Amino acid sequence: MKDVGVILAAAGSGSRMGQDKLLLKLGGYTVLQHSAKAFASCPDICAMVAVTRQDLLGKVRQQLEELELPFPVQVIPGGKTRQQSVAAGVQTMSGKAKFYAIHDAARPLVTAEEIASCLADAREYGGACLSVPVKDTIQQMDGEGFLELTPPRDRLRCAQTPQIFDAAWYRAGMAEAKRLGLDLTDDCQVFRLSGGRVYLTPGSYTNLKITTPEDLPLAEGILAQREQESNTQESNTME
Ligand code: CTP
Ligand code: MG
């Protein structure tokens, strides 16, 4: 069923990277292109709306056109905060979309399998988010820099994207956030304002978000390893 609309959030300023991180190349494609391309093999996608900065509209449009994705792609300006950017994407998205798959353009390494398993959970439960167990102990600090709270680690998860939601419920959550004057950093928080539940689909540590300069060699390494693995598989099947 082609009823999933992808909202690609690409309107950030990359302040922690110190440059436009989405336009950096990893192998043959930019970070933005990898993130969009990951959805190409998902047969359920009906449309993509990429939300970006006003000054990048032309570049982003061109880079996405180059990919010749198998669904219509629109590129529109985003907002000051992530919630405003996603809301702009929702307003532009085709009414054919019964689910919204919201994805950080800064997560270029998400795989088709991860997207498929998140979507299967969203269809079953109404909302789903890829996430992984936290590796480190998390500390909450008080206002003076001292340890205030150490939450038990076994139930803590790091949120990733895509996060996939029933469209009508997500829009209800958006309306509620607006009514309450909330600006939330995570789309699950918006969705939950509708009363919907979010299943935490087990993801993979390789679906990292390109945030600081240290993330680039890590991402390059993961991509190179994947390429090597697929080459080995190819040569094995040829033998
Ligand atoms: N994003 C967006 N609109 C905003 C802010 C962020 O669409 N107003 C997007 C980013 O482009 C990114 C994703 O949300 O793909 C996750 O955000 P983050 O990693 O924080 O990216 P930036 O906000 O660009 O980086 P920074 O916080 O370091 O400035
Ligand atoms: Mg940010």
Side-chain angles (χ1 to χ4, degrees):
M1 224 187 305
K2 286 201 184 301
D3 60 354
V4 180
V6 179
I7 294 166
L8 196 61
S13 53
S15 55
R16 285 170 287 180
M17 183 62 77
Q19 56 179 319
D20 272 331
K21 60 185 184 178
L22 304 180
L23 303 181
L24 297 174
K25 270 206 162 176
L26 289 176
Y29 295 97
T30 62
V31 171
L32 171 93
Q33 286 178 315
H34 279 289
S35 303
K37 224 160 60 71
F39 291 87
S41 61
C42 176
D44 302 41
I45 309 295
C46 60
M48 175 181 280
V49 175
V51 186
T52 190
R53 292 200 322 256
Q54 191 73 40
D55 58 309
L56 293 181
L57 282 172
K59 270 191 190 150
V60 167
R61 204 165 275 145
Q62 188 200 333
Q63 290 198 5
L64 295 181
E65 268 168 21
E66 275 171 23
L67 298 176
E68 300 184 353
L69 294 167
F71 37 73
V73 179
Q74 279 173 282
V75 182
I76 62 158
K80 277 199 199 74
T81 68
R82 200 193 131 93
Q83 187 179 316
Q84 288 170 6
S85 294
V86 173
V90 164
Q91 269 137 25
T92 301
M93 179 55 75
S94 150
K96 282 186 205 148
K98 298 301 170 219
F99 285 87
Y100 299 138
I102 303 168
H103 186 57
D104 293 330
R107 288 189 193 270
L109 299 178
V110 69
T111 64
E113 292 73 28
E114 285 155 19
I115 294 170
S117 89
C118 187
L119 179 57
D121 287 337
R123 287 194 188 284
E124 183 157 357
Y125 304 111
C129 168
L130 285 176
S131 77
V132 286
V134 301
K135 292 185 190 179
D136 295 323
T137 292
I138 301 293
Q139 300 178 322
Q140 184 175 310
M141 190 174 73
D142 70 11
E144 273 100 55
F146 290 91
L147 180 61
E148 184 172 67
L149 182 81
T150 307
R153 208 180 52 196
D154 55 329
R155 287 210 194 164
L156 292 180
R157 296 291 178 273
C158 298
Q160 300 181 339
T161 70
Q163 305 187 351
I164 309 182
F165 307 108
D166 176 278
W169 284 60
Y170 188 80
R171 285 196 305 267
M174 265 173 56
E176 189 61 6
K178 196 171 171 192
R179 197 180 69 80
L180 298 170
L182 298 175
D183 191 54
L184 303 162
T185 53
D186 184 54
D187 301 301
C188 291
Q189 295 173 285
V190 176
F191 176 76
R192 289 188 75 216
L193 291 173
S194 71
R197 290 209 302 167
V198 179
Y199 189 75
L200 299 185
T201 304
S204 149
Y205 290 110
T206 53
N207 182 18
L208 52 91
K209 182 159 70 69
I210 306 291
T211 308
T212 58
E214 300 76 41
D215 297 325
L216 291 167
L218 277 178
E220 270 162 1
I222 293 166
L223 272 177
Q225 197 187 348
R226 282 184 188 166
E227 208 157 295
Q228 208 176 7
E229 276 165 15
S230 80
N231 287 345
T232 321
Q233 264 173 7
E234 240 169 69
S235 63
N236 284 348
T237 47
M238 275 160 64
E239 271 163 21

